[in-house]
Amino acid sequence: MKKRVAILGSTGSIGTQALEVISANADSFEVEVLTAQSNADLLIKQAVEFKPNVVVIGLESEYDKVHSALDPFDVKVYCGQKALSAVVENENIDIVLTALVGYAGLLPTISAIKAGKTIALANKETLVVAGDLITKLAIEHKVNILPVDSEHSAIFQCLSGEYINPIEKIILTASGGPFRGKKKEDLLKVTKKEALKHPNWDMGAKITIDSASLMNKGLEVIEAKWLFGVETNQIEVIVHPQSIIHSLVQFEDGSIKAQLGLPDMKLPIQYALGYPHRLPSDFQRFDFLNYPNLTFEKPDLETFQNLNLAFEALKRGGNAPCILNAANEIAVEAFLQDRIGFLNMSDLILDCLQKATFIKNPTLDDLINTNEHTRNIAKELI
Ligand code: NAD
Ligand code: MG
């Protein structure tokens, strides 16, 4: 039986690589749903090639174009944000890959969990915004959340066969991004062009900026807490510029397990889609002799404040990570529009954490309101 896959955000970096994985494993998967926000041309091309039953285009103004192009192919076309939450409930879907970016992933993920679909989670922002609620909902609906993020996939792979053994510590590796080694004064005038040049990974714009500012690692710390049920003080971050060790788990006997490989997101995508099977691949193999020096450094928390802010938000709990995420989304957007400088992003997030209303035990509605409210505060501050 082929696994039937819905890909939310099929035109992005993760989405297109997921389709490469599916193409190469056509006996194992078929595509049920594809969705995109604005890239109608690529969505149409993907739909013609992969023949899903349903596509969703986020931007309503692109609906007519997509609809008329796919009319001859018997593909249902919907548009708008609400359609995302509706289409993932379809009984023909086995697994939903959340490859869309930002807060927009939250409601469709909830809807997929309630419909009992396995989640292959790339959209880390969902767990940052509502980790407590999402993990409880997944338990209630007996749904597996399989990580796609390379660090979390590494941890998940290290935990295989260790179900009865408590984790002592999780060690998340970070490449350090394009500005590793730089100090605050060097970062005052960096441009978006420089920030968008990641040394090891080719990704969407938002996560690439997050990687340059170390917010990505902060979001991943929060993601790890919820995926693996550990306390904040059990998560450590270490800079590993070569991005070969994707992360590590230390157990109570002191033993450390790591997962290694060349930096290629197709591997964690394929592991999540194929889970529990490791499907064969022709991905380039790692050769130790090409990497005689794997190195490690302490993260520079003085220069890259975002990682601290994320740890603080996680310790504070409640809606603080939701505030952090919303402020960061506005900050990154403003930086990409040349409206604020690189270091202003952390100032803005700190301001929002201080100004937005704190809620200790937020409901889903509280989180939806917190997101709205924080975005407004951030926009006013800019
Ligand atoms: P991307 O910007 O390349 O692609 C985003 C996709 O989501 C596109 O298909 C776009 O059409 C869609 N989208 C954008 N805004 C949307 C909205 N408001 N509503 C619905 N759909 C929308 O992003 P990406 O780099 O592929 O990242 C996707 C997610 O995966 C992010 O949460 C990111 O943190 C995570 N992730 C990415 C990588 C990577 O290598 N790219 C690695 C780890 C985790
Ligand atoms: Mg990652």
Side-chain angles (χ1 to χ4, degrees):
M1 275 276 282
K2 289 186 187 182
K3 262 191 214 174
R4 298 160 302 176
V5 187
I7 305 180
L8 306 184
S10 63
T11 55
S13 159
I14 294 289
T16 51
Q17 293 182 83
L19 286 173
E20 283 179 49
V21 165
I22 289 174
S23 258
N25 295 278
D27 295 342
S28 302
F29 306 111
E30 63 189 319
V31 176
E32 261 307 303
V33 174
L34 295 174
T35 85
Q37 180 60 11
S38 55
N39 192 343
D41 291 329
L42 183 54
L43 182 65
I44 292 165
K45 188 165 169 272
Q46 292 178 336
V48 171
E49 183 180 347
F50 288 92
K51 304 189 176 53
N53 271 321
V54 174
V55 304
V56 180
I57 180 82
L59 216 58
E60 300 189 8
S61 55
E62 295 295 296
Y63 172 80
D64 286 342
K65 179 177 185 178
V66 179
H67 183 256
S68 56
L70 296 180
D71 204 34
F73 297 97
D74 194 25
V75 179
K76 291 188 202 69
V77 181
Y78 301 101
C79 68
Q81 214 64 36
K82 286 207 176 114
L84 289 181
S85 295
V87 299
V88 293
E89 293 173 351
N90 195 303
E91 58 180 4
N92 294 331
I93 298 169
D94 299 308
I95 182 164
V96 176
L97 171 62
T98 65
L100 68 184
V101 60
Y103 173 85
L106 177 64
L107 296 181
T109 306
I110 291 178
S111 174
I113 294 173
K114 284 186 174 165
K117 311 302 181 192
T118 300
I119 306 291
L121 184 116
N123 179 254
K124 62 191 86 184
E125 292 91 343
T126 285
L127 282 184
V128 173
V129 169
D132 191 24
L133 200 143
I134 292 284
T135 44
K136 283 183 181 145
L137 203 62
I139 292 167
E140 184 187 333
H141 292 272
K142 300 189 175 63
V143 155
N144 267 335
I145 300 181
L146 307 170
V148 170
D149 215 346
S150 57
E151 295 78 358
H152 306 74
S153 175
I155 294 162
F156 184 53
Q157 293 180 54
C158 292
L159 290 175
S160 179
E162 302 284 0
Y163 187 70
I164 55 168
N165 296 318
I167 296 169
E168 185 169 85
K169 190 164 82 177
I170 280 175
I171 305 157
L172 286 177
T173 51
S175 70
F179 302 141
R180 183 176 62 87
K182 297 256 189 279
K183 293 289 166 201
K184 271 192 169 165
E185 54 274 18
D186 308 316
L187 296 178
L188 278 170
K189 292 219 166 83
V190 291
T191 61
K192 69 178 176 203
K193 196 167 162 221
E194 294 168 281
L196 284 170
K197 251 190 235 135
H198 196 281
N200 303 341
W201 300 97
D202 182 12
M203 313 177 283
K206 195 254 175 185
I207 183 175
T208 306
I209 300 301
D210 284 346
S211 300
S213 72
L214 287 204
M215 181 53 94
N216 183 49
K217 214 46 58 180
L219 301 180
E220 290 183 354
V221 167
I222 302 174
E223 182 185 12
K225 181 208 154 78
W226 295 114
L227 280 173
F228 305 113
V230 292
E231 295 303 322
T232 311
N233 61 14
Q234 289 175 284
I235 308 172
E236 195 178 294
V237 173
I238 185 107
V239 175
H240 166 46
Q242 297 80 22
S243 297
I244 295 298
I245 299 181
H246 297 306
S247 279
L248 314 91
V249 180
Q250 181 172 310
F251 294 94
E252 288 187 320
D253 58 358
S255 182
I256 294 180
K257 280 167 86 174
Q259 187 261 341
L260 285 74
L262 291 168
D264 179 352
M265 283 307 296
K266 287 199 291 298
L267 210 151
I269 293 169
Q270 176 167 308
Y271 187 72
L273 293 180
Y275 183 81
H277 300 286
R278 284 189 186 274
L279 302 173
S281 87
D282 60 2
F283 307 151
Q284 197 190 336
R285 273 24 180 183
F286 173 68
D287 181 349
F288 274 94
L289 299 181
N290 290 336
Y291 289 84
N293 297 306
L294 295 181
T295 61
F296 306 92
E297 300 163 13
K298 235 171 103 127
D300 176 357
L301 299 180
E302 177 54 33
T303 307
F304 299 94
Q305 304 269 344
N306 279 352
L307 185 54
N308 265 338
L309 293 175
F311 266 110
E312 286 309 314
L314 184 56
K315 280 187 208 144
R316 197 158 168 221
N319 65 342
C322 176
I323 299 172
L324 174 96
N325 181 70
N328 182 57
E329 289 190 15
I330 297 295
V332 171
E333 200 178 285
F335 175 70
L336 285 172
Q337 294 166 348
D338 299 315
R339 292 169 61 214
I340 61 174
F342 187 78
L343 294 176
N344 300 132
M345 290 195 285
S346 304
D347 302 337
L348 183 69
I349 297 162
L350 178 61
D351 265 2
C352 288
L353 281 166
Q354 286 164 348
K355 291 203 167 87
T357 313
F358 177 69
I359 304 172
K360 184 77 203 142
N361 294 303
T363 62
L364 177 59
D365 281 340
D366 291 332
L367 294 171
I368 293 171
N369 291 333
T370 298
N371 175 61
E372 240 351 88
H373 167 66
T374 308
R375 280 168 189 267
N376 289 336
I377 296 176
K379 283 179 190 161
E380 269 169 35
L381 287 167
I382 294 169

